Amino acid sequence: MTQRLRINNEGLVEGIRFIPSPNCDARPAGCAINLLVIHSISLPPGEFGGAGIVDLFTNRLDPAAHPDYASLAGLKVSSHFLIRRDGELIQFVPCSRRAWHAGESNWKGRRRCNDFSIGIEVEGTGEVPFTDAQYQRLAELTRALMGRYPNADIVGHSDVAPGRKMDPGPHFDWARYRAMLENSRQDAKAAKVYRTKLLRTAKTPRKNKRKK
């Protein structure tokens, strides 16, 4: 079932879990948000559902807890959102603030994509497909974000950091995702037309029938 998400004036999605990350700061003055960057992540690599991602984004990751964590010691990163394998949506940074997700990056000649973007991590790897629940939740989140930032481009991390990053990877179905967004736009247009017709009908005075 499609859920309509709402972003409040503080840049937080209402009704979901918010785990504040210290790894964020203010955006440059006057910098409009016009980019959504989709990532993929799993910690430990190839494993899902554990505390690793949350611990990384909140600076609580123990480098000794797993052999692959040693290289992450001292790393300070975050993302605005995480979508778990079961579709759970978690927010770490308000949309109004700059999350540290893209690193060295460039989009349409503009460097420092963190300044003007929203980062969305989807739990997964380049080896396995993403889940139906994740696509559904990602489409819902994207609709909410596009409602607030209608001029935003939608790209992968690999698009803004080519050669350095490969996520969300070959198993991310861009065609399916964009089709879900397009279908929702068509549904919204149809609903708007229907509401307009109802409004016009309600405002149109009814003619009294003459009795014969």
Side-chain angles (χ1 to χ4, degrees):
M1 182 178 177
T2 301
Q3 181 179 355
R4 186 177 180 85
L5 300 176
R6 183 179 182 275
I7 302 172
N8 65 25
N9 292 332
E10 296 178 352
L12 298 175
V13 174
E14 297 180 347
I16 68 169
R17 189 151 59 116
F18 175 53
I19 305 174
S21 170
N23 304 328
C24 63
D25 56 3
R27 296 183 186 274
C31 190
I33 297 170
N34 52 27
L35 186 66
L36 308 183
V37 182
I38 298 175
H39 307 252
S40 64
I41 187 172
S42 65
L43 285 177
E47 297 183 23
F48 308 131
I53 301 172
V54 173
D55 288 347
L56 176 65
F57 289 170
T58 54
N59 299 339
R60 296 197 302 258
L61 190 68
D62 180 2
H66 190 277
D68 288 311
Y69 288 176
S71 63
L72 302 177
L75 185 65
K76 296 185 183 301
V77 294
S78 63
S79 187
H80 291 91
F81 299 99
L82 168 67
I83 300 177
R84 292 286 201 179
R85 301 293 289 181
D86 62 0
E88 181 190 9
L89 178 62
I90 304 171
Q91 185 166 4
F92 295 91
V93 177
C95 296
S96 57
R97 293 181 63 78
R98 175 171 57 187
W100 304 344
H101 63 96
E104 184 178 348
S105 51
N106 185 302
W107 180 246
K108 293 183 176 179
R110 297 179 65 189
R111 299 173 62 83
R112 297 174 57 88
C113 292
N114 284 343
D115 291 352
F116 54 93
S117 68
I118 299 289
I120 305 170
E121 294 278 2
V122 186
E123 189 176 29
T125 70
E127 286 74 43
V128 296
F130 295 90
T131 68
D132 293 343
Q134 287 179 305
Y135 283 110
Q136 182 65 43
R137 184 62 86 180
L138 179 59
E140 292 167 355
L141 176 60
T142 303
R143 284 193 288 269
L145 291 170
M146 294 302 288
R148 185 167 284 264
Y149 314 111
N151 297 319
D153 292 329
I154 304 173
V155 300
H157 197 186
S158 58
D159 295 311
V160 299
R164 188 175 69 85
K165 294 293 182 178
M166 298 179 63
D167 57 310
H171 282 288
F172 186 80
D173 193 339
W174 284 99
R176 175 182 180 179
Y177 168 53
R178 294 187 185 280
M180 292 175 74
L181 296 180
E182 181 60 31
N183 289 340
S184 68
R185 278 193 288 266
Q186 295 300 327
D187 290 344
K189 287 180 181 178
K192 184 177 180 180
V193 170
Y194 180 67
R195 287 194 298 269
T196 301
K197 287 183 177 180
L198 285 179
L199 184 61
R200 287 175 179 170
T201 300
K203 289 183 177 180
T204 301
R206 295 183 178 180
K207 296 180 179 180
N208 294 326
K209 294 183 179 180
R210 294 181 179 178
K211 295 182 179 180
K212 293 183 179 179

